[in-house]
Amino acid sequence: MQYKRSRIIIAAAGSGKTTHLVTEALSKPNAKVAVVTYTNNNHRVIDSTFARMNEVTPSRVDVCTWFAFLLHECARPYQRSTYANQRIRAISFPKGRSARFAPYADTRRYYFANGDEIYADKLSRFVMDCEEHTGGLVTARLRALYDAVFIDELQDLAGYDLELLEVFMRSGIAMQLVGDPRQSTYATNQAAKNRRYRKMGLLEKVREWETAGLCEVEPQARSFRCNQAICDFADRLWPGLPSTRSHNAVVTGHDGVFRVHTRHLHGYVKEFCPVVLRYNSRTDTHGYPALNFGEAKGMTFDRVLVLPHGPIEKYLRTGNRDDVAGSVTKFYVAVTRARSSVAFLCDGECNARCVEWEPPS
């Protein structure tokens, strides 16, 4: 069962990107498909989506993380074409960039820690070397194994990962890639390569691929998760992008975006049971269990309560997007986790179009 040429979907939060990939994988019952994502959390989301839609993940579908896919399906089968000293045992995840001053010609020093742990930020380049040294056997193997390769959370890929995706597309591997650069809270590596294409810069790379005839691009400015008030609030964080249209018309009686004073916090939590989200572990949670913004990516909740840190507090006061620019991707993720309501703990002035909540008298 053959797929058409590569397709990239750039879509807003809550548009059903992961559901789309699972639906596509299930729609062609004879197709062998790899569904690949960066984080373990997104891997679990994909697995749970298959379970929800099909009870189990079909045996013809391989769900794996990006690094597992590169190591097991791309690097190890042909590693001796590039590095025959030792079998690649594992992946090394350095803080920052690896072996910055090792010459590329010194394969062992450039690519490996301890001789058998390949640096994560260079794994894609190593796969490209294997592809070159074998005359294209890496991609030939993938074409033989899979009718299509699906990539979830495209915006997480960085450095030579983007170069490798282009190699895949040029080789004729049918791919479907979905992502949202507004949710670029993680990156597979910190390599200097392709730094210009990080976060919103990814849109430029996608346009280049489209112009080169490597893929077709489909924007989706819709959300099946968030109601329109939440979509409108989130859209103001990204002026210049298409407005998001909500497909969630559920009315609960407490819908939209609110601000809650600290003196009303416990009453609000008791009344609405929101999931509490915080920027990081240094945020005061007032005794409530909380998830970090980035940790919540890919998740959906009925209601969230956001505990702001400094930049978000300033944005709530001013409504000026520049005040939250350095945290805007994580902020966007936090806001767009909710179906019905988003509340901010905010005692000061608020000019960010939030409705003030007060307990019933």
PDB file of all heavy atoms in Angstrom, residues 70-82:
ATOM      1  N   LEU A  70      16.558   6.325  14.833  1.00  0.00           N
ATOM      2  CA  LEU A  70      17.841   6.557  14.180  1.00  0.00           C
ATOM      3  C   LEU A  70      18.861   5.488  14.530  1.00  0.00           C
ATOM      4  O   LEU A  70      19.607   5.008  13.660  1.00  0.00           O
ATOM      5  CB  LEU A  70      18.397   7.932  14.569  1.00  0.00           C
ATOM      6  CG  LEU A  70      17.618   9.166  14.110  1.00  0.00           C
ATOM      7  CD1 LEU A  70      18.386  10.437  14.468  1.00  0.00           C
ATOM      8  CD2 LEU A  70      17.329   9.120  12.616  1.00  0.00           C
ATOM      9  N   LEU A  71      18.907   5.093  15.795  1.00  0.00           N
ATOM     10  CA  LEU A  71      19.912   4.127  16.228  1.00  0.00           C
ATOM     11  C   LEU A  71      19.638   2.737  15.659  1.00  0.00           C
ATOM     12  O   LEU A  71      20.516   2.118  15.040  1.00  0.00           O
ATOM     13  CB  LEU A  71      19.958   4.072  17.755  1.00  0.00           C
ATOM     14  CG  LEU A  71      20.977   3.090  18.366  1.00  0.00           C
ATOM     15  CD1 LEU A  71      22.390   3.481  17.978  1.00  0.00           C
ATOM     16  CD2 LEU A  71      20.831   3.052  19.887  1.00  0.00           C
ATOM     17  N   HIS A  72      18.407   2.256  15.853  1.00  0.00           N
ATOM     18  CA  HIS A  72      18.108   0.861  15.510  1.00  0.00           C
ATOM     19  C   HIS A  72      17.860   0.640  14.022  1.00  0.00           C
ATOM     20  O   HIS A  72      18.250  -0.400  13.477  1.00  0.00           O
ATOM     21  CB  HIS A  72      16.896   0.383  16.309  1.00  0.00           C
ATOM     22  CG  HIS A  72      17.119   0.367  17.785  1.00  0.00           C
ATOM     23  ND1 HIS A  72      18.079  -0.427  18.384  1.00  0.00           N
ATOM     24  CD2 HIS A  72      16.526   1.058  18.795  1.00  0.00           C
ATOM     25  CE1 HIS A  72      18.057  -0.227  19.692  1.00  0.00           C
ATOM     26  NE2 HIS A  72      17.133   0.670  19.968  1.00  0.00           N
ATOM     27  N   GLU A  73      17.209   1.605  13.352  1.00  0.00           N
ATOM     28  CA  GLU A  73      16.815   1.393  11.960  1.00  0.00           C
ATOM     29  C   GLU A  73      17.753   2.037  10.946  1.00  0.00           C
ATOM     30  O   GLU A  73      17.710   1.682   9.767  1.00  0.00           O
ATOM     31  CB  GLU A  73      15.389   1.927  11.736  1.00  0.00           C
ATOM     32  CG  GLU A  73      14.337   1.368  12.677  1.00  0.00           C
ATOM     33  CD  GLU A  73      14.200  -0.143  12.586  1.00  0.00           C
ATOM     34  OE1 GLU A  73      14.699  -0.748  11.618  1.00  0.00           O
ATOM     35  OE2 GLU A  73      13.593  -0.740  13.491  1.00  0.00           O
ATOM     36  N   CYS A  74      18.589   2.966  11.411  1.00  0.00           N
ATOM     37  CA  CYS A  74      19.425   3.702  10.458  1.00  0.00           C
ATOM     38  C   CYS A  74      20.920   3.540  10.704  1.00  0.00           C
ATOM     39  O   CYS A  74      21.685   3.266   9.773  1.00  0.00           O
ATOM     40  CB  CYS A  74      19.071   5.187  10.490  1.00  0.00           C
ATOM     41  SG  CYS A  74      17.344   5.555  10.112  1.00  0.00           S
ATOM     42  N   ALA A  75      21.362   3.728  11.939  1.00  0.00           N
ATOM     43  CA  ALA A  75      22.798   3.755  12.219  1.00  0.00           C
ATOM     44  C   ALA A  75      23.397   2.360  12.372  1.00  0.00           C
ATOM     45  O   ALA A  75      24.362   2.005  11.669  1.00  0.00           O
ATOM     46  CB  ALA A  75      23.058   4.581  13.473  1.00  0.00           C
ATOM     47  N   ARG A  76      22.859   1.552  13.271  1.00  0.00           N
ATOM     48  CA  ARG A  76      23.475   0.252  13.541  1.00  0.00           C
ATOM     49  C   ARG A  76      23.553  -0.676  12.323  1.00  0.00           C
ATOM     50  O   ARG A  76      24.565  -1.345  12.130  1.00  0.00           O
ATOM     51  CB  ARG A  76      22.734  -0.442  14.687  1.00  0.00           C
ATOM     52  CG  ARG A  76      23.208  -0.009  16.073  1.00  0.00           C
ATOM     53  CD  ARG A  76      22.476  -0.760  17.146  1.00  0.00           C
ATOM     54  NE  ARG A  76      22.928  -0.397  18.482  1.00  0.00           N
ATOM     55  CZ  ARG A  76      22.212  -0.611  19.585  1.00  0.00           C
ATOM     56  NH1 ARG A  76      20.996  -1.163  19.471  1.00  0.00           N
ATOM     57  NH2 ARG A  76      22.682  -0.270  20.754  1.00  0.00           N
ATOM     58  N   PRO A  77      22.508  -0.754  11.497  1.00  0.00           N
ATOM     59  CA  PRO A  77      22.595  -1.697  10.373  1.00  0.00           C
ATOM     60  C   PRO A  77      23.763  -1.426   9.424  1.00  0.00           C
ATOM     61  O   PRO A  77      24.257  -2.353   8.768  1.00  0.00           O
ATOM     62  CB  PRO A  77      21.245  -1.510   9.664  1.00  0.00           C
ATOM     63  CG  PRO A  77      20.317  -1.043  10.729  1.00  0.00           C
ATOM     64  CD  PRO A  77      21.161  -0.157  11.595  1.00  0.00           C
ATOM     65  N   TYR A  78      24.218  -0.160   9.344  1.00  0.00           N
ATOM     66  CA  TYR A  78      25.272   0.182   8.386  1.00  0.00           C
ATOM     67  C   TYR A  78      26.431   0.921   9.031  1.00  0.00           C
ATOM     68  O   TYR A  78      27.206   1.595   8.345  1.00  0.00           O
ATOM     69  CB  TYR A  78      24.671   1.026   7.247  1.00  0.00           C
ATOM     70  CG  TYR A  78      23.612   0.266   6.491  1.00  0.00           C
ATOM     71  CD1 TYR A  78      22.263   0.547   6.694  1.00  0.00           C
ATOM     72  CD2 TYR A  78      23.952  -0.752   5.607  1.00  0.00           C
ATOM     73  CE1 TYR A  78      21.285  -0.166   6.017  1.00  0.00           C
ATOM     74  CE2 TYR A  78      22.983  -1.471   4.926  1.00  0.00           C
ATOM     75  CZ  TYR A  78      21.645  -1.172   5.138  1.00  0.00           C
ATOM     76  OH  TYR A  78      20.691  -1.887   4.478  1.00  0.00           O
ATOM     77  N   GLN A  79      26.599   0.772  10.337  1.00  0.00           N
ATOM     78  CA  GLN A  79      27.618   1.563  11.026  1.00  0.00           C
ATOM     79  C   GLN A  79      29.027   1.231  10.542  1.00  0.00           C
ATOM     80  O   GLN A  79      29.910   2.091  10.528  1.00  0.00           O
ATOM     81  CB  GLN A  79      27.512   1.381  12.534  1.00  0.00           C
ATOM     82  CG  GLN A  79      28.062   0.046  13.054  1.00  0.00           C
ATOM     83  CD  GLN A  79      28.376   0.100  14.538  1.00  0.00           C
ATOM     84  OE1 GLN A  79      27.486   0.056  15.370  1.00  0.00           O
ATOM     85  NE2 GLN A  79      29.659   0.208  14.854  1.00  0.00           N
ATOM     86  N   ARG A  80      29.280  -0.014  10.106  1.00  0.00           N
ATOM     87  CA  ARG A  80      30.636  -0.390   9.721  1.00  0.00           C
ATOM     88  C   ARG A  80      31.114   0.319   8.460  1.00  0.00           C
ATOM     89  O   ARG A  80      32.319   0.368   8.190  1.00  0.00           O
ATOM     90  CB  ARG A  80      30.735  -1.909   9.557  1.00  0.00           C
ATOM     91  CG  ARG A  80      30.672  -2.646  10.886  1.00  0.00           C
ATOM     92  CD  ARG A  80      30.963  -4.120  10.748  1.00  0.00           C
ATOM     93  NE  ARG A  80      30.983  -4.755  12.057  1.00  0.00           N
ATOM     94  CZ  ARG A  80      32.041  -4.804  12.865  1.00  0.00           C
ATOM     95  NH1 ARG A  80      33.179  -4.242  12.453  1.00  0.00           N
ATOM     96  NH2 ARG A  80      31.977  -5.386  14.032  1.00  0.00           N
ATOM     97  N   SER A  81      30.178   0.889   7.716  1.00  0.00           N
ATOM     98  CA  SER A  81      30.593   1.677   6.553  1.00  0.00           C
ATOM     99  C   SER A  81      31.286   2.963   6.963  1.00  0.00           C
ATOM    100  O   SER A  81      32.029   3.561   6.183  1.00  0.00           O
ATOM    101  CB  SER A  81      29.380   2.012   5.684  1.00  0.00           C
ATOM    102  OG  SER A  81      28.524   2.933   6.354  1.00  0.00           O
ATOM    103  N   THR A  82      31.058   3.379   8.201  1.00  0.00           N
ATOM    104  CA  THR A  82      31.590   4.644   8.702  1.00  0.00           C
ATOM    105  C   THR A  82      32.467   4.472   9.933  1.00  0.00           C
ATOM    106  O   THR A  82      33.431   5.202  10.124  1.00  0.00           O
ATOM    107  CB  THR A  82      30.416   5.608   9.032  1.00  0.00           C
ATOM    108  OG1 THR A  82      29.642   5.803   7.849  1.00  0.00           O
ATOM    109  CG2 THR A  82      30.902   6.950   9.543  1.00  0.00           C
TER     110      THR A  82
END
